Amino acid sequence: MAAVAADAASAAAPKFTLYTVGTPNGWKASIALELLGLPYHVHKIRLSQQEQKEEWFLKLSHTNDDFPVFESGAILLYLAENHDPEHILLPQDAKARSLAIQWLMWQMGGLGPMQGQAYHFVRYAPERIPYATKRYQNETLRLYGVMERGLATSDFLAGDRLSAADIACFGWVADHKWADLSLDDFPKLKAWLYRMAAIDGVKRGLDVPDKNNLIDNNFGLPDAAEVERAAKQTSKWVLEGNKSG
């Protein structure tokens, strides 16, 4: 999750507050802000305390005071359209721009939801449901295959340069092992992952709101005991959040 609020009073050098957590969706916004070189403050949302359901945050996400923007894909588009004179996030060429937006919509409607469900049934569900686990793992792998084909003739999803499309997909692919998946059958996708990880702005954005060891650990998981501890801890507030609506 992510939301960004712009300070309208400083038009010459926009300042933002990024309300975020260290998830593939949250990293989209922080990576984009880092690549654009825009100054911003970070407010880490405490999901374990259901802070995202508190009235102050709900009001922030659904009013236009100082124009807050919610939904990570919408944040990427907002930044591209208003704070990206060098066209880093979206190409200036109409067809290339459309291709980047197509991939962005694809991630929002496919890769994120499917891999998110794979996370849930692999790590957080209170009971093991083999059908559900395999259904979402297999669908995520199918989507990795779509990316593999998309990267057959270019280094990045929308052509030969990074765009919002790559930013949107990076965190999900980087965290593939949390869904108990492998990239061994997707050599072009794996090469793209390491290509993205070598970009300074991507690395800085991945460390928001907390230091992240995905790249340092070669996209591997910590030891089994730490994985189990983290999964149990997260599962507790995920299931509690489901109860409270």
Side-chain angles (χ1 to χ4, degrees):
M1 66 169 297
V4 64
D7 178 4
S10 51
K15 293 182 180 179
F16 302 89
T17 298
L18 176 62
Y19 300 85
T20 190
V21 288
T23 66
N25 283 333
W27 295 326
K28 293 178 198 174
S30 54
I31 289 172
L33 288 166
E34 290 292 340
L35 288 170
L36 294 176
L38 294 171
Y40 65 102
H41 304 289
V42 176
H43 180 114
K44 180 180 177 181
I45 297 295
R46 298 166 296 175
L47 295 180
S48 61
Q49 299 179 34
Q50 306 298 317
E51 188 177 13
Q52 77 279 13
K53 297 184 179 182
E54 293 180 5
E55 187 61 28
W56 72 266
F57 184 77
L58 296 176
K59 182 179 179 181
L60 172 72
S61 298
H62 295 88
T63 67
N64 61 1
D65 296 336
D66 291 330
F67 203 73
V69 184
F70 70 99
E71 285 296 331
S72 55
I75 291 171
L76 292 179
L77 291 176
Y78 172 79
L79 293 174
E81 292 170 352
N82 295 281
H83 301 285
D84 186 12
E86 297 181 5
H87 304 285
I88 294 171
L89 301 184
L90 291 178
Q92 192 168 17
D93 175 77
K95 290 184 178 179
R97 180 184 181 91
S98 175
L99 183 58
I101 293 173
Q102 290 172 51
W103 277 108
L104 175 58
M105 298 299 108
W106 175 88
Q107 184 280 313
M108 297 294 293
L111 180 62
M114 294 301 102
Q115 189 164 325
Q117 291 299 319
Y119 289 162
H120 182 83
F121 288 104
V122 170
R123 304 292 178 188
Y124 311 138
E127 58 182 299
R128 295 298 168 224
I129 307 174
Y131 170 78
T133 301
K134 295 305 296 181
R135 185 263 189 279
Y136 289 111
Q137 285 181 317
N138 288 341
E139 182 62 9
T140 302
L141 290 172
R142 183 188 72 78
L143 295 169
Y144 287 175
V146 174
M147 294 183 71
E148 180 79 6
R149 291 191 294 276
L151 292 163
T153 58
S154 61
D155 285 344
F156 298 96
L157 289 169
D160 293 326
R161 54 185 290 272
L162 172 146
S163 73
D166 304 283
I167 296 170
C169 294
F170 172 74
W172 294 99
V173 180
D175 210 21
H176 61 278
K177 289 190 177 178
W178 194 247
D180 198 19
L181 297 174
S182 169
L183 300 183
D184 289 348
D185 292 334
F186 310 103
K188 292 181 173 59
L189 181 60
K190 183 182 286 189
W192 167 87
L193 177 64
Y194 283 92
R195 193 176 301 122
M196 289 288 294
I199 298 171
D200 286 341
V202 173
K203 290 187 283 190
R204 292 195 303 271
L206 202 62
D207 282 337
V208 176
D210 301 305
K211 169 65 180 172
N212 186 289
N213 293 317
L214 271 174
I215 294 176
D216 293 342
N217 292 339
N218 202 30
F219 303 105
L221 295 177
D223 62 70
E226 174 59 21
V227 167
E228 183 177 3
R229 185 202 65 79
K232 285 184 177 180
Q233 184 180 56
T234 303
S235 177
K236 182 177 180 180
W237 59 256
V238 166
L239 298 178
E240 185 62 31
N242 289 345
K243 293 178 184 178
S244 59

